[in-house]
């Protein structure tokens, strides 16, 4: 199964500038970059480096779920404009994480706001040939306010908007930490996968004994963790990528697997970030190249 392997741009690598980032990523064997924005310069830089665009981050994500009608409509208009611009440049996947700007808003209320706001956004995505990919990060503790991070929410969202132009950024690391079967999720919702993240989660039984599934009271032992789990690069956690590859192949998925580097061992310096990306890509390449 041959798929494109790419990365979201980690901070130290990104600080080198888009041109150097693209050149390094291509030399490291990556096929695509997930970029925070796209414009003609970004396209030109990537083309010169011989690397494609995996996804583009949506603007004003938090305001899309604002209780304030004016803020919400302004954000929706900005996203529609962004879709038009990125489609004209050949970019097709828009990344979103639907975390409301007010983290105390209950998910049920945010869902009602989403249901009212997103049909027009998705209609515009259809017109422009853009595919929205929402990520299942549950959001920050203690509220975990993100909508679109569990099967019960996906089911209701996809019933409300059947269009494949609104779909998932499949990231099994979040499902593992939440105790959700990441393979079963592919069986039920695989047809709505528009993008994938290459990230893993290691479950930590000793830490789970200490604090259960609650965030650690006195601080997590590791970075990119809340206590009983920690995010890792692919191959260092609980995800069986061979099984993910088989399911994505059966679904006919043709998109990218983009490494999202959130592993404390490969963080804090340019050299460590590059090492983490290279190791993650090597593991994924065994199943997706």
């Amino acid at each position: 199964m041959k798929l494109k392997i790419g990365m979201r741009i980690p901070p130290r690598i990104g600080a080198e500038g888009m041109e150097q980032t693209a050149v390094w990523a291509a030399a490291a064997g990556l096929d695509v970059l997930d970029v925070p924005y796209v414009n003609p310069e970004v396209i030109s830089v990537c083309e010169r480096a011989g690397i494609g665009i995996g996804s583009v981050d949506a603007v004003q994500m938090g305001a899309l779920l604002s209780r304030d009608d004016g803020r919400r409509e302004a954000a929706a208009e900005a996203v529609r404009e962004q879709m038009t611009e990125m489609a004209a440049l050949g970019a097709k996947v828009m990344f979103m994480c639907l975390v409301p700007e007010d983290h105390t808003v209950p998910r049920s209320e945010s869902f009602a706001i989403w249901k009212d706001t997103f049909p027009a956004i998705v209609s515009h995505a259809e017109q422009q040939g853009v595919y929205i990919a929402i990520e299942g990060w549950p959001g920050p503790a203690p509220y975990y306010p993100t909508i679109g991070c569990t099967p019960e929410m996906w089911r209701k969202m996809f019933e409300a908007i059947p269009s494949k132009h609104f779909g998932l950024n499949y990231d099994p690391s979040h499902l593992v930490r939440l105790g959700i079967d990441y393979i079963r999720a592919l069986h039920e919702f695989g047809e709505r996968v528009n993008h994938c993240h290459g990230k893993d989660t290691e479950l930590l039984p000793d830490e789970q004994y200490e604090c259960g599934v609650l965030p650690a009271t006195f601080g997590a032992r590791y970075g990119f963790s809340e206590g009983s789990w920690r995010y890792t690069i692919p191959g260092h956690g609980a995800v069986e990528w061979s099984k993910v590859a088989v399911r994505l192949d059966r679904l006919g998925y043709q998109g990218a697997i983009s490494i999202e580097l959130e592993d404390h061992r490969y963080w804090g310096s340019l050299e460590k970030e590059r090492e983490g990306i290279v190791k993650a890509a090597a593991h994924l390449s065994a199943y997706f190249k």
Side-chain angles (χ1 to χ4, degrees):
M1 178 187 185
K2 183 172 176 59
L3 289 179
K4 300 178 182 69
I5 293 177
M7 71 174 183
R8 284 185 69 81
I9 302 171
R12 300 300 177 93
I13 292 176
E16 297 282 284
M18 185 61 73
E19 185 166 4
Q20 181 60 32
T21 296
V23 168
W24 179 84
L30 300 184
D31 305 299
V32 300
L33 286 177
D34 289 0
V35 295
Y37 62 90
V38 69
N39 57 29
E41 181 182 0
V42 170
I43 295 294
S44 178
V45 163
C46 289
E47 286 179 347
R48 288 198 302 272
I51 198 164
I53 301 295
S55 70
V56 181
D57 291 355
V59 297
Q60 300 184 36
M61 284 184 260
L64 287 170
L65 298 176
S66 175
R67 285 169 161 165
D68 183 286
D69 293 346
R71 285 183 54 76
R72 190 169 66 250
E73 182 47 46
E77 181 58 30
V79 165
R80 288 191 290 267
E81 291 176 4
Q82 185 187 15
M83 287 177 175
T84 301
E85 293 165 359
M86 63 183 275
L89 294 169
K92 296 297 183 185
V93 179
M94 175 175 276
F95 171 84
M96 291 185 181
C97 193
L98 296 176
V99 186
E101 57 187 4
D102 180 352
H103 294 169
T104 68
V105 176
R107 286 191 297 273
S108 57
E109 182 180 341
S110 290
F111 173 80
I113 293 170
W114 170 87
K115 192 174 181 180
D116 183 58
T117 305
F118 264 71
I121 293 174
V122 177
S123 177
H124 191 72
E126 290 175 334
Q127 294 168 21
Q128 298 300 320
V130 169
Y131 291 84
I132 297 169
I134 62 166
E135 183 178 48
W137 176 54
Y143 298 105
Y144 303 111
T146 304
I147 59 167
C149 61
T150 62
E152 67 155 1
M153 284 186 269
W154 295 336
R155 206 171 292 117
K156 290 292 187 182
M157 294 170 100
F158 297 150
E159 286 173 4
I161 298 183
S163 172
K164 186 171 175 8
H165 287 263
F166 179 80
L168 296 179
N169 175 87
Y170 176 74
D171 183 337
S173 71
H174 301 304
L175 298 173
V176 170
R177 63 166 276 198
L178 291 171
I180 295 168
D181 187 328
Y182 63 95
I183 295 297
R184 181 176 172 182
L186 269 185
H187 281 301
E188 183 172 358
F189 303 103
E191 297 292 340
R192 300 298 284 265
V193 172
N194 289 337
H195 194 55
C196 292
H197 276 173
K199 195 174 76 183
D200 215 325
T201 292
E202 180 186 4
L203 300 175
L204 305 170
D206 288 343
E207 282 73 8
Q208 185 166 6
Y209 171 76
E210 290 293 323
C211 58
V213 297
L214 299 176
T217 306
F218 305 107
R221 183 175 299 179
Y222 303 105
F224 300 106
S225 168
E226 287 180 358
S228 62
W229 54 269
R230 71 177 189 90
Y231 290 140
T232 74
I233 60 172
H236 292 197
V239 176
E240 294 187 61
W241 291 95
S242 59
K243 293 183 177 180
V244 174
V246 167
R247 269 62 176 191
L248 290 175
D249 186 49
R250 185 181 300 163
L251 290 162
Y253 177 70
Q254 298 294 314
I257 311 291
S258 285
I259 299 156
E260 184 178 29
L261 187 65
E262 293 184 344
D263 186 324
H264 75 276
R265 293 172 305 159
Y266 303 103
W267 200 254
S269 72
L270 178 63
E271 292 72 25
K272 283 187 174 293
E273 286 184 0
R274 287 179 170 177
E275 181 186 359
I277 294 294
V278 168
K279 286 184 175 180
H283 186 82
L284 294 173
S285 292
Y287 306 108
F288 296 105
K289 286 286 192 183

